[in-house]
Amino acid sequence: MLRVGLTGGIASGKSEVARRLAERGAVLVDADVLAREAVAPGSEGLAEVVAAFGPGIVADDGGLDRAALGAIVFADPARREVLNAIVHPRVRARAAEIVERAGSQDPRAVVVQDIPLLVETGQAGNFDLVVVVDAPDDVRVARLAARNGMPEAEARARMAAQATREERLAAADHVLENTGTVEELRAAVDRLWDGVLVPAAARSAQAGSSA
């Protein structure tokens, strides 16, 4: 099994890369999906979040009001750490279960863990390879404005809450530049899959069988 950590700043194009890797055959473990499951209605995780942040972060349907919670945690790093301490252990435990199952089913599996905060949480060393999707800050700000109507100040605040571009690049084994079209990005993913990930997974499986 080849374990790949995939990360990138907000609006870098990481989600498109993850989709394409899944299309090519990767086992995708999406930290955002697992984080939503961790605080689903009726869950222990949601109960802990409400206890920490108050009933104002509960939506009318009983689920988490992400906008209300986001306004709190993106404005206050200490509060963001409180949230992370609730959610991250649950996400990691569930991800470990998925990874273990994938490896037992196929020794040549390419398991890609899509983790927005991979660098921030010090997880780079947990993977055989780290892939970073990269785009300049100004490009990402423009994408957030076009995609979400997000004001520049809010976009830059969200970016400032994550690792810097330089910190992510320093952790990367492979960088996918995303300043062009979606088609160009998907082609770059295909080259990475065919030229790097599949051969590395085969070598890993061979090493495991001969150990």
Side-chain angles (χ1 to χ4, degrees):
M1 177 176 64
L2 184 73
R3 294 191 60 184
V4 179
L6 173 66
T7 194
I10 187 171
S12 64
K14 177 179 58 63
S15 295
E16 184 63 37
V17 170
R19 278 192 292 271
R20 185 57 178 167
L21 287 169
E23 289 171 2
R24 292 303 309 269
V27 176
L28 181 63
V29 183
D30 189 326
D32 280 343
V33 171
L34 299 184
R36 287 193 290 272
E37 292 177 356
V39 292
S43 67
E44 291 182 2
L46 179 59
E48 285 194 33
V49 172
V50 173
F53 292 91
I57 55 89
V58 179
D60 292 340
D61 63 1
L64 185 64
D65 185 334
R66 298 184 180 279
L69 182 60
I72 296 171
V73 301
F74 282 109
D76 186 342
R79 301 297 282 161
R80 189 161 62 246
E81 287 305 314
V82 171
L83 177 63
N84 290 344
I86 296 170
V87 175
H88 287 177
R90 290 175 165 83
V91 170
R92 290 180 184 178
R94 179 63 180 135
E97 293 175 2
I98 298 171
V99 170
E100 182 178 0
R101 183 171 66 247
S104 65
Q105 291 175 343
D106 181 4
R108 290 178 176 246
V110 177
V111 180
V112 176
Q113 290 185 239
D114 179 350
I115 306 177
L117 301 181
L118 183 149
V119 173
E120 295 86 338
T121 52
Q123 296 184 68
N126 296 341
F127 298 96
D128 301 308
L129 295 171
V130 173
V131 176
V132 170
V133 188
D134 181 56
D137 290 353
D138 289 346
V139 171
R140 295 191 288 134
V141 168
R143 287 174 181 161
L144 287 169
R147 185 179 71 192
N148 302 340
M150 187 178 293
E152 180 176 349
E154 182 178 350
R156 292 195 181 276
R158 294 290 181 102
M159 290 163 57
Q162 297 183 331
T164 65
R165 188 181 177 198
E166 291 73 20
E167 288 168 337
R168 278 190 296 271
L169 292 175
D173 295 297
H174 296 278
V175 178
L176 293 173
E177 299 286 352
N178 182 26
T179 55
T181 66
V182 172
E183 290 73 20
E184 289 170 337
L185 179 61
R186 289 167 67 86
V189 174
D190 288 346
R191 290 192 295 271
L192 177 71
W193 178 262
D194 294 327
V196 177
L197 301 185
V198 170
R203 289 193 299 270
S204 178
Q206 184 175 17
S209 65
S210 60

